[in-house]
Amino acid sequence: MALSDFLKQLDEFSASAVEAFGRCGDAGSLESARIEFLGAKSGTLRALQKQLGTLQSDEKPQGGKRFNEVKREVEESFKTAAARLESGESTGGAAKGPRFDPTLPGQAFDIGHLHPITQTIEELKDIMGRLGFSVADGPEVEDERHNFEALNIPLEHPARDPLDNFYLSVAGKDAKGPLLLRSQTSTVQIRVMEQTAPPVRVISIGRVYRPDTADATHYPMFHQMEGLLIDRHVTMADLKTVLRLFATSYLGHDVHIRFRPSFFPFTEPSVEVDMSWGDGWIEFGGAGMVDPNVLQSVGYDPEQVSGFAFGLGVERLCMRRHRITDIREFYRNDVRFLRQF
Ligand code: DAH
């Protein structure tokens, strides 16, 4: 027999055996196919092996090599088919079940996404980053120095009332006095200034805790974005500019911003920050020029540097942006709500 004919027969054998094994939908038909193609006595492979003997002797090495390759391929495809049937899958072919169509689009996995508050935090960091503010972090369990004293909130101040704070029953290792869940992110201002020399330009976004009864606008845990800028010759105009740039970036160019005189122990003067879209003013937080007492408490010289600080409610920003009317929705974890963001 001519070598070229022999090689052609091998190829045909390989193609039809692989196709037949792939089509088998049960053990019985696979066994018949095995006997047909690989059977020791009268299988096609056996017949081809006999043909190999009829090749001219100088063509035998090449024919034999190809014969062995094809034998291995076909045996592999038989094993694959057997494993497939064993694993409970039926056929890829016609025997049973729907035909497998590799051109159909796959089933998309529902991989979920970030919580709307997390998305908001990422965006706020991004906007403030573009304004030159880096991100600082502080602990949620705080001592009284960082939550109150260094912020110019003296011992007798009503803000320290146990009924308005989550004091913890465990005492701090290094801290004197009790620990509490921080009631404001202004704590991070102190931590940053304790560790860095001016100038300072940071924001800090995180959870704060207050024993409020949950309703549409209150929740015992919520998020604040704190901002702090300390440098030479900082003025209230800088504060307003930064907040206006922030507000227009996050909420749109039609937003107006206004300051109302207010009081915070750690700023002087202090203001409430309101925003509006022509439909009434909404308060978003507080701000002011950092009180010289605060600068002194962290070892800064109020004669040399000044600065501004602000604290805005993150939930409030997100609610206004997405027209959410109840803060509790964020923490019910109802996927029908969360899926919308
Ligand atoms: N910490 C204040 C609060 O929780 C908000 C605030 C007001 C933060 C004025 C500031 C500030 O940094 O300067 O109500």
Side-chain angles (χ1 to χ4, degrees), residues 206-210 212 219-224 315 327 331:
R207 298 190 180 105
V208 298
Y209 301 85
R210 296 178 192 175
D212 289 331
Y219 207 76
M221 182 282 297
F222 59 98
H223 295 74
Q224 286 185 327
E315 278 80 355
I327 191 175
Y331 304 111

Side-chain angles (χ1 to χ4, degrees), residues 22 32 40-41 51 70 85 95 135 146 157 170 195 283 320:
S32 319
K41 282 196 190 123
Q51 304 265 31
V70 165
L85 292 178
V135 176
H146 293 92
H157 195 279
V170 291
Q195 281 156 25
E283 186 195 317
R320 170 67 217 192

Side-chain angles (χ1 to χ4, degrees), residues 141-251:
V141 173
E142 263 298 4
D143 52 47
E144 292 187 296
R145 167 171 161 75
H146 293 92
N147 203 82
F148 300 125
E149 266 150 45
L151 287 163
N152 203 29
I153 306 175
L155 199 54
E156 65 281 4
H157 195 279
R160 295 174 72 150
D161 193 320
L163 291 175
D164 291 328
N165 292 284
F166 285 112
Y167 280 95
L168 303 179
S169 56
V170 291
K173 252 193 247 139
D174 311 316
K176 295 183 205 76
L179 297 176
L180 72 160
L181 298 181
R182 68 179 178 194
S183 61
Q184 50 185 352
T185 45
S186 304
T187 52
V188 186
Q189 291 183 28
I190 303 303
R191 290 192 174 271
V192 169
M193 289 190 286
E194 280 173 343
Q195 281 156 25
T196 31
V200 168
R201 206 182 243 248
V202 293
I203 54 158
S204 185
I205 306 183
R207 298 190 180 105
V208 298
Y209 301 85
R210 296 178 192 175
D212 289 331
T213 305
D215 61 25
T217 53
H218 296 86
Y219 207 76
M221 182 282 297
F222 59 98
H223 295 74
Q224 286 185 327
M225 173 168 75
E226 193 80 16
L228 176 70
L229 186 147
I230 307 279
D231 209 333
R232 287 174 189 277
H233 316 302
V234 181
T235 71
M236 202 106 174
D238 300 320
L239 169 61
K240 200 161 191 180
T241 302
V242 164
L243 287 176
R244 182 183 291 115
L245 285 171
F246 163 73
T248 49
S249 301
Y250 182 67
L251 292 164

